[in-house]
């Protein structure tokens, strides 16, 4: 995601009456530039050297704001900390059971599952989530040495 995506998101927030602060801009930019689906703590660790006055609470409050504004998706997996994803396109996640890394992948044929669910149940389907669990290539290589 480039600067134009961040600017588009900032415009959307402004239209909703959300004041843009340098910290808010930094959190959103970090999130949109990250492919790692960071936790609030990871965002804090990355940004606190640049913004020493930023607290973990500030990060959490802004992430909530972004989720409510529909700019960011919150990923919850069991007891682990929530991770945040700024890619709102239809995609799925492969999750390493060893290190917790998350990798995005697309598989368009799965959209047929939504159509089938709608036909069978009469639901107006709004989306679905699928996760694949295993050991990532990095952990697999490390453990086989």
């Amino acid at each position: 995601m480039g600067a134009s995506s961040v600017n588009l998101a900032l415009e959307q927030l402004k239209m909703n009456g959300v004041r843009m602060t340098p910290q808010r801009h930094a959190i959103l930019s970090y999130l949109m530039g990250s492919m790692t689906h960071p936790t609030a703590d990871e965002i804090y660790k990355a940004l606190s050297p640049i913004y020493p006055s930023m607290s973990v609470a500030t990060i959490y409050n802004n992430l909530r704001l972004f989720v409510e504004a529909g700019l960011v998706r919150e990923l919850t997996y069991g007891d682990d900390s929530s991770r945040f994803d700024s890619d709102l396109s239809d995609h799925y996640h492969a999750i390493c059971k060893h290190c917790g890394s998350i990798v995005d992948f697309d598989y368009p044929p799965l959209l047929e599952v939504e159509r089938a669910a709608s036909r069978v149940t009469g639901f107006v389907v709004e989306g679905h989530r699928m996760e694949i669990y295993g050991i990532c290539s990095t952990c697999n290589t490390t453990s086989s040495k």
Side-chain angles (χ1 to χ4, degrees):
M1 299 236 175
S4 62
S5 299
V6 174
N7 289 334
L8 208 60
L10 295 173
E11 282 306 313
Q12 193 173 328
L13 287 172
K14 277 184 203 161
M15 286 192 306
N16 291 333
V18 176
R19 196 171 59 85
M20 193 41 55
T21 64
Q23 292 180 338
R24 214 166 259 166
H25 187 281
I27 295 165
L28 198 55
S29 296
Y30 180 82
L31 203 50
M32 291 188 150
S34 171
M35 298 306 293
T36 62
H37 310 81
T39 63
D41 284 341
E42 288 168 349
I43 297 170
Y44 173 73
K45 284 180 187 136
L47 296 179
S48 61
I50 307 158
Y51 296 91
S53 64
M54 189 184 295
S55 67
V56 178
T58 302
I59 306 272
Y60 273 109
N61 292 337
N62 281 292
L63 289 170
R64 293 275 159 266
L65 182 79
F66 299 154
V67 169
E68 285 166 18
L71 297 175
V72 171
R73 190 178 288 160
E74 183 174 4
L75 310 174
T76 51
Y77 301 109
D79 297 335
D80 294 336
S81 298
S82 290
R83 292 183 166 273
F84 295 87
D85 189 355
S86 64
D87 181 354
L88 302 177
S89 67
D90 286 325
H91 68 280
Y92 307 101
H93 297 116
I95 304 156
C96 180
K97 289 167 48 177
H98 189 259
C99 71
S101 67
I102 301 174
V103 178
D104 291 343
F105 71 97
D106 294 324
Y107 193 67
L110 275 179
L111 292 176
E112 179 53 36
V113 170
E114 288 187 9
R115 290 189 280 273
S118 183
R119 279 194 308 273
V120 171
T121 65
F123 275 44
V124 174
V125 176
E126 295 180 348
H128 69 276
R129 182 168 110 174
M130 184 178 76
E131 292 128 24
I132 303 295
Y133 295 93
I135 308 298
C136 72
S137 57
T138 304
C139 290
N140 197 29
T141 304
T142 307
S143 65
S144 63
K145 286 184 179 173

